[in-house]
Amino acid sequence: MQRRDFLSLSAITGATALLNSASRATAADTASADVSWKLPVPEKPAQLNLCLQWGAIPGGAINQKLDFLEANGFAAVELPTGKWLFDNHSAFKKALEGRKLTVATACGPSDFSHAAKAKRDAEVAKFLPQLEVLGDLKSVGLILCPARRTVALGFSELREDFINNTGKRLAEHAAKHGTSIVLEPLTRGETPFLNLVADGANIARAIGPGATVMGDFWHMSKEETSCLGAFISGGTLLSHVHIASLKDRKIPAMEPKYDKYVDGFRGLKIIGYRGAVSLEGGFPKGADKTKLILTMVKYLRDQWEQA
Ligand code: MG
């Protein structure tokens, strides 16, 4: 392998401490080994593709919202799942024609941990036609959570069933239609089943084609020991990112003391991430949404530059 094919982790600002501690540990184990920590250089450099969820975009009509995204430097849009997707499929597809915007994902509630097989099958059946719509819109994928707070199945049984049955069937259908399922790890308060990006990536890898993973800065800030490390663990399976203020899950940039994304962005740069970074956060009551969104765009671009 040519040296130019690699990127030394030590060259990445801020990763020096990781490099040093890892090198020390390894040196103790393999005294004479020529140890160096290198990661493959991504084929293309990472890109910050900002994205808004449908409900967060100012405006009413579909074209108004898409105009706002284009005028303010957004690259992608995240849609609701369910009825909205079916009702607006054709009109949205038409409104998207000739625009540079892409459809990142669709996001809505899901749960595959019911004790009754019939309920799990119904959940699969609910999402199959939604995957067809998303495939038609050339979307990255459908965000799914395998389980929520109450998990009726045993963890081993649920993991096995999701990998070989419910998740597998959805992923295969997604791949057939040119899209994917996107597994979202949540905080342990929201589900005890999937909390870490690395675990989601492991499940997605076990499922195979059509399965990917995402990271949500809000959940990650509560569960991950390192956002940089978590995104690296996601690697090529990482297809989507959610972002919010790390203080109160509102729009980023209102609380700069808490809203620190440089470490995570550094991880995204290391893996050459070119998917969407999508706001999933609230707005203060009565706020000027447009003003806050524009402030967030500037703030996130600055943090990306620092990474
Ligand atoms: Mg999320």
Side-chain angles (χ1 to χ4, degrees), residues 262-273:
V262 173
D263 178 68
F265 281 172
R266 202 166 279 153
L268 294 178
K269 284 190 173 179
I270 289 171
I271 62 171
Y273 180 72

Side-chain angles (χ1 to χ4, degrees), residues 47 63 75 83 108 130 137 160 229 246 250 278 280 299:
Q47 247 177 19
N63 269 310
K83 189 173 182 303
Q130 300 189 45
L137 295 174
E160 187 74 11
L246 303 182
K250 289 198 164 51
S278 183
E280 186 178 59
Y299 185 84

Side-chain angles (χ1 to χ4, degrees), residues 125-276:
K126 181 174 91 182
F127 286 115
L128 290 173
Q130 300 189 45
L131 285 165
E132 291 167 22
V133 174
L134 291 173
D136 187 48
L137 295 174
K138 297 185 168 47
S139 164
V140 167
L142 171 69
I143 297 175
L144 294 177
C145 302
R148 304 302 293 209
R149 189 190 295 257
T150 306
V151 184
L153 287 181
F155 277 21
S156 299
E157 198 184 345
L158 170 56
R159 197 176 183 98
E160 187 74 11
D161 188 60
F162 192 76
I163 288 172
N164 296 309
N165 177 31
T166 53
K168 181 82 170 177
R169 281 193 278 152
L170 287 164
E172 283 179 350
H173 198 67
K176 191 174 144 195
H177 290 275
T179 185
S180 75
I181 59 167
V182 183
L183 307 184
E184 179 167 19
L186 305 175
T187 55
R188 67 192 70 185
E190 289 158 297
T191 180
F193 181 72
L194 176 57
N195 305 128
L196 301 174
V197 173
D199 196 25
N202 181 273
I203 294 172
R205 188 181 58 170
I207 291 174
T212 64
V213 68
M214 63 167 287
D216 181 322
F217 271 98
W218 170 254
H219 306 303
M220 291 169 74
S221 70
K222 311 280 183 242
E223 298 292 344
E224 304 282 357
T225 50
S226 160
C227 285
L228 180 149
F231 282 136
I232 291 175
S233 300
T236 55
L237 289 170
L238 190 87
S239 66
H240 194 59
V241 171
H242 278 162
I243 199 161
S245 169
L246 303 182
K247 186 189 178 201
D248 53 10
R249 213 181 182 186
K250 289 198 164 51
I251 185 167
M254 291 176 63
E255 298 279 358
K257 187 180 155 194
Y258 299 92
D259 294 346
K260 308 220 183 274
Y261 311 105
V262 173
D263 178 68
F265 281 172
R266 202 166 279 153
L268 294 178
K269 284 190 173 179
I270 289 171
I271 62 171
Y273 180 72
R274 295 167 76 90

